């Protein structure tokens, strides 16, 4: 019954009213709410990476400096193991009850768990319970973050007009980088004002306490934002097609996701791997690499990275803007090839003990990272249809994140075990190969509706232009199908002629 109704709807001519026109005020609220929550997520990751040396001394005081660093980064990486669980849980919730409700829940959990890290007593005070409580807080963060980025990406993508999805989606990772800048800047400020003993005693806690007010602001913005038009339309469509289905909310079949959308899942995993391995290598592991492996002061290394990240803030929306003009694939491919070619030279520059060359090496990695982060949030949601978009994207994203999230720990371990300071560069080159391969299979999604959705426009005039384009695409597709039919008819005639020649050679066949 539902399938016949759906087929009947699809057979109706596409009209101007079928194109969704997005209210600009609602769009700005949606983008701001999603980006701020993402900024808070990465604020914590940035702070954690920049104070890892301090956390190692506070929570693992009996270990050697190298083991302290690896232990602190290991505590950072372990929560990535629970992110798939959070992704599945929040993904199913998001596809059943809506994106806005789930995003409000994830930011609450994230804010509370981050704030609590600042409250944990040191190892000297409560012994083994200190690292255990730190791990529990990080696990809670990992669970909530499992639904955070993917939910925010879906939220923005479903709100964004087709012709501006790249630009608007780029602000999501703008929020990520801004969170890093805020976290790093706060750490630098505290380290400058406080002496190291004071910073180790209580100064490191301050950045984590900032998560409280940030979380309240993010919750307010997300609660004020309305549900996405795409999800609302999906519910209305189901209500028209099947009254019983709507009572139980949309269902999600993971068997269907893994069997029917296997290619999209693999593409999503590839994009996430190359982007986030580069992300964590530059923005989480690099401060530790500069201080522990190269011997720079923490303040010196962090300051250089902060300057690079501020530059990334300006590049990020530019990449998103141009991806709406020339497509997403060129940027993913360019970023991956750039990473493959520039990883080794960049690390040679970083290890040169020359501030200018260090900055240049970091800048190379930052630019190729911008090429990928500038299009990721607009690319991934377009791979899946609305009814399973959150679940499928959260599943694939967080499976890839298990590997990407181990980057700081693996990189630190490789350097420690081999004594080779170029190991992080080789690690990035492996990620680059994954990105290059993925770019060949990635479908171009720029200026197209999300998979299975109707076109979305900024205004009525743009809607008319999109309708015209939709008609032209239909006409071209019909022409292509006609050519296929003609070719098949010619093949059929050739087969019939071949059959007849064989029959003519048999005395008892007609």
């Amino acid at each position: 019954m539902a399938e016949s109704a759906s087929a009947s709807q699809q057979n109706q001519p596409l009209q101007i009213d079928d194109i969704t026109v997005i209210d600009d005020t609602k769009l700005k609220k949606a983008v701001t709410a999603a980006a701020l929550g993402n900024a808070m997520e990465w604020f914590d990751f940035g702070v954690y990476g920049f104070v890892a040396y301090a956390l190692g001394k506070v929570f693992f005081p009996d270990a050697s400096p190298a083991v302290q660093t690896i232990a602190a980064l290991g505590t950072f990486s372990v929560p990535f193991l629970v992110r798939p669980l959070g992704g599945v849980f929040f993904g199913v919730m998001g596809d059943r009850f809506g994106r806005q409700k789930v995003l409000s829940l994830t930011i609450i959990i994230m804010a509370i768990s981050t704030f609590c890290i600042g409250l944990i007593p040191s190892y000297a005070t409560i012994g083994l319970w200190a690292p255990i409580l730190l791990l529990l807080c990080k696990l809670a963060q990992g669970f909530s973050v499992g639904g955070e980025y993917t939910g925010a990406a879906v939220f923005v993508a479903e709100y964004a007009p087709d012709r501006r999805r790249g630009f608007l989606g780029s602000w999501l990772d703008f929020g990520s980088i801004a969170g890093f800048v805020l976290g790093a800047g706060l750490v630098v400020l505290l380290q400058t004002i406080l002496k190291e003993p004071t910073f180790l005693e209580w100064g490191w806690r301050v950045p984590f306490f900032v998560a409280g007010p940030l979380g309240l602001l993010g919750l307010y913005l997300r609660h004020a934002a309305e549900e996405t038009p795409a999800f609302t339309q999906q519910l209305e469509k189901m209500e028209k097609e099947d009254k019983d289905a709507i009572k139980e909310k949309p269902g999600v079949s993971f068997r269907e996701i893994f069997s029917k959308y296997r290619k999209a899942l693999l593409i999503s995993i590839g994009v996430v791997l190359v982007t986030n391995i580069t992300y964590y290598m530059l923005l989480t592991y690099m401060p530790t690499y500069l201080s522990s492996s190269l011997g720079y002061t923490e303040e010196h290394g962090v300051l250089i990275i902060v300057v690079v990240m501020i530059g990334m803030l300006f590049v990020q929306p530019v990449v998103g803007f141009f991806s709406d003009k020339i497509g997403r694939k060129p940027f993913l491919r360019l970023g991956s090839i750039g990473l493959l070619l520039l990883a080794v030279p960049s690390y040679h520059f970083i290890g040169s003990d020359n501030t200018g060359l260090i900055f240049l090496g970091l800048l190379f990695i930052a630019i190729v990272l911008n090429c990928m982060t500038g299009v990721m949030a607009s690319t991934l949601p377009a791979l899946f249809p609305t009814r399973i978009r959150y679940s499928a994207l959260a599943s694939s994203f967080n499976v890839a994140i298990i590997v990407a999230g181990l980057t700081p720990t693996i990189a630190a371990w490789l350097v420690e075990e081999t004594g080779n300071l170029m190991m992080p560069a080789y690690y990035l080159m492996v990620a680059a190969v994954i990105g290059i391969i993925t770019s060949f299979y990635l479908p171009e999604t720029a200026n197209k509706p999300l998979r299975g959705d109707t076109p979305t426009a900024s205004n009525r005039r743009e809607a008319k232009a999109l309708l015209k384009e939709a008609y032209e695409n239909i006409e071209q597709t019909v022409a292509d199908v006609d050519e296929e039919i003609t070719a098949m008819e010619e093949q059929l005639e050739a087969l019939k002629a071949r059959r007849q020649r064989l029959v003519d050679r048999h005395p008892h066949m007609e």
Side-chain angles (χ1 to χ4, degrees), residues 293-406:
S293 300
L294 300 182
Y296 298 110
T297 64
E298 283 82 3
E299 296 85 352
H300 183 62
V302 168
L303 192 59
I304 295 174
I305 294 175
V306 168
V307 173
V308 171
M309 287 192 292
I310 291 173
M312 289 179 67
L313 288 174
F314 291 97
V315 177
Q316 181 73 13
V318 173
V319 172
F321 176 82
F322 281 104
S323 76
D324 286 326
K325 309 299 179 185
I326 64 175
R328 326 285 192 224
K329 289 183 66 169
F331 281 102
L332 177 62
R333 189 169 299 169
L334 177 65
S336 300
I337 293 173
L339 187 62
L340 182 66
L341 299 178
L342 296 175
V344 170
S346 295
Y347 270 83
H348 275 301
F349 289 159
I350 292 168
S352 67
D353 203 26
N354 180 300
T355 300
L357 290 178
I358 294 171
F359 178 80
L360 188 61
L362 293 172
L363 185 63
F364 284 161
I365 300 176
I367 290 174
V368 298
L369 177 57
N370 268 134
C371 287
M372 295 179 279
T373 58
V375 300
M376 185 167 71
S378 55
T379 298
L380 298 182
L383 297 173
F384 306 100
T386 301
R387 64 187 180 83
I388 62 159
R389 184 170 292 133
Y390 202 155
S391 304
L393 181 52
S395 301
S396 58
F397 187 95
N398 288 294
V399 165
I401 279 292
I402 292 179
V403 178
L406 293 172

Side-chain angles (χ1 to χ4, degrees), residues 174-190:
F174 180 95
S176 304
I177 302 166
F180 261 100
V181 170
L182 179 60
L186 188 54
V187 170
V188 170
L189 180 63
L190 289 168

Side-chain angles (χ1 to χ4, degrees), residues 454-476:
T454 55
T456 307
S458 300
N459 50 56
R460 187 82 173 176
R461 189 157 133 203
E462 186 177 292
K464 291 179 180 179
L466 288 176
L467 185 63
K468 183 180 177 183
E469 288 179 9
Y471 288 157
E472 290 172 353
N473 288 335
I474 292 172
E475 291 167 3
Q476 182 59 51

Side-chain angles (χ1 to χ4, degrees), residues 113-121 137 202 204-209:
S113 55
T114 303
F115 186 84
C116 285
I117 291 178
L119 297 175
I120 300 174
C137 287
W202 59 265
W204 66 269
R205 300 179 185 275
V206 175
F208 294 102
F209 289 148

Side-chain angles (χ1 to χ4, degrees), residues 89-214:
F89 176 79
F90 290 115
V92 172
M93 293 277 287
D95 282 332
R96 286 173 62 84
F97 303 108
R99 289 63 163 119
Q100 185 262 355
K101 294 183 179 66
V102 170
L103 285 175
S104 296
L105 179 59
T106 58
I107 202 169
I108 292 172
I109 299 174
M110 190 162 44
I112 292 175
S113 55
T114 303
F115 186 84
C116 285
I117 291 178
L119 297 175
I120 300 174
S122 67
Y123 186 93
T125 304
I126 61 172
L128 190 60
W129 279 106
I132 291 175
L133 289 174
L134 175 63
L135 181 60
L136 290 175
C137 287
K138 295 300 294 180
L139 288 172
Q141 284 181 337
F143 188 77
S144 65
V145 168
E148 170 60 35
Y149 181 86
T150 50
V154 168
F155 195 68
V156 173
E158 291 184 348
Y159 252 110
D162 296 340
R163 291 183 174 180
R164 298 173 60 202
R165 187 168 292 116
F167 175 67
L168 294 170
S170 69
W171 289 98
L172 195 59
D173 282 288
F174 180 95
S176 304
I177 302 166
F180 261 100
V181 170
L182 179 60
L186 188 54
V187 170
V188 170
L189 180 63
L190 289 168
Q191 288 175 336
T192 303
I193 296 174
L194 305 173
K195 300 295 183 182
E196 183 167 347
T198 307
F199 185 79
L200 291 175
E201 184 181 353
W202 59 265
W204 66 269
R205 300 179 185 275
V206 175
F208 294 102
F209 289 148
V210 173
L214 277 179

